[in-house]
């Protein structure tokens, strides 16, 4: 099994009151346009889970009346993956450079240079050390997909074979057992 990695990065976003240049609105639109079926993360097969979120305010602790607030907004980027962070960042840049530039290109300190090495360096500067993953699985992506496929195939098999006699059920089980043990594994990002 390959190494399991977690990446948590906080990238500051230049913020001006009322977002006059639509920086935040544009980032939210790009993130919204890349939902599950059209996500560039789907094209990186090592990903278990990825999340992008704009943090625009912090809720103060109960009883805090100081009025302290964030001076800027942040882009939270959390990824749970198999393999090394650098390999994932290279993959993301290779499959969707326009997405990378549309999101991180609006963050403070993002380099004007194009290339995955500059993207990796930027994210490395924004990494928030977090020894615990956001959502972790003990298996690789392929192993997790295999288990989920088995579960789905078994549920469908049980549903399809309701009402059979004991002899018919036993015969169907013996016939289909190999297929249930080794179902077709879907592509990452399709479940």
């Amino acid at each position: 099994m390959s190494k399991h990695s977690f990446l948590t990065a906080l990238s500051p976003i230049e913020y001006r009151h009322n977002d006059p240049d639509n920086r935040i609105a544009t980032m939210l639109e790009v993130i919204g346009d890349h939902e599950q079926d059209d996500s560039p993360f789907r094209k990186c097969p090592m990903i278990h889970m990825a999340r992008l979120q704009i943090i625009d305010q912090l809720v103060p602790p109960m009883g805090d009346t100081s009025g302290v607030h964030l001076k800027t907004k942040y882009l939270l980027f959390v990824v749970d993956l198999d393999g090394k962070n650098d390999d994932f960042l290279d993959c993301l840049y290779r499959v969707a450079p326009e997405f990378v530039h549309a999101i991180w290109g609006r963050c403070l300190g993002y380099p004007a240079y194009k290339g995955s090495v500059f993207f990796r360096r930027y994210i490395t500067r924004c990494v928030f050390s977090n020894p615990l993953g956001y959502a972790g699985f003990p298996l690789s992506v392929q192993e997790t997909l295999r288990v989920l496929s088995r579960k789905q195939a078994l549920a469908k098999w049980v549903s399809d074979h309701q009402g059979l006699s004991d002899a018919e059920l036993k015969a169907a089980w013996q016939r289909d057992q190999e297929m249930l043990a080794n179902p077709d594994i879907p592509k990452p990002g399709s479940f």
Side-chain angles (χ1 to χ4, degrees), residues 19 21-32 54 106:
D19 195 24
D21 58 356
N22 290 326
R23 183 177 298 261
I24 304 295
T26 303
M27 289 175 77
L28 288 170
E29 184 178 326
V30 171
I31 291 169
I54 294 177
R106 299 179 188 289

Side-chain angles (χ1 to χ4, degrees), residues 65-121:
T65 59
S66 67
V68 174
H69 61 279
L70 290 175
K71 294 185 184 346
T72 190
K73 296 181 186 285
Y74 289 88
L75 175 68
L76 173 68
F77 181 44
V78 181
V79 184
D80 178 4
L81 58 104
D82 291 338
K84 297 178 182 174
N85 291 341
D86 285 353
D87 293 338
F88 158 68
L89 293 170
D90 285 345
C91 178
L92 181 60
Y93 192 90
R94 185 179 63 252
V95 300
E98 64 288 339
F99 175 78
V100 169
H101 294 295
I103 297 295
W104 285 275
R106 299 179 188 289
C107 295
L108 292 173
Y110 187 78
Y113 311 111
K114 303 224 185 291
S116 64
V117 67
F118 301 109
F119 176 54
R120 271 190 281 124
R121 287 177 186 165

Side-chain angles (χ1 to χ4, degrees), residues 152-163:
Q152 190 174 43
L154 182 59
K156 183 177 179 347
W157 189 91
V158 168
S159 175
D160 291 347
H161 292 84
Q162 289 193 35

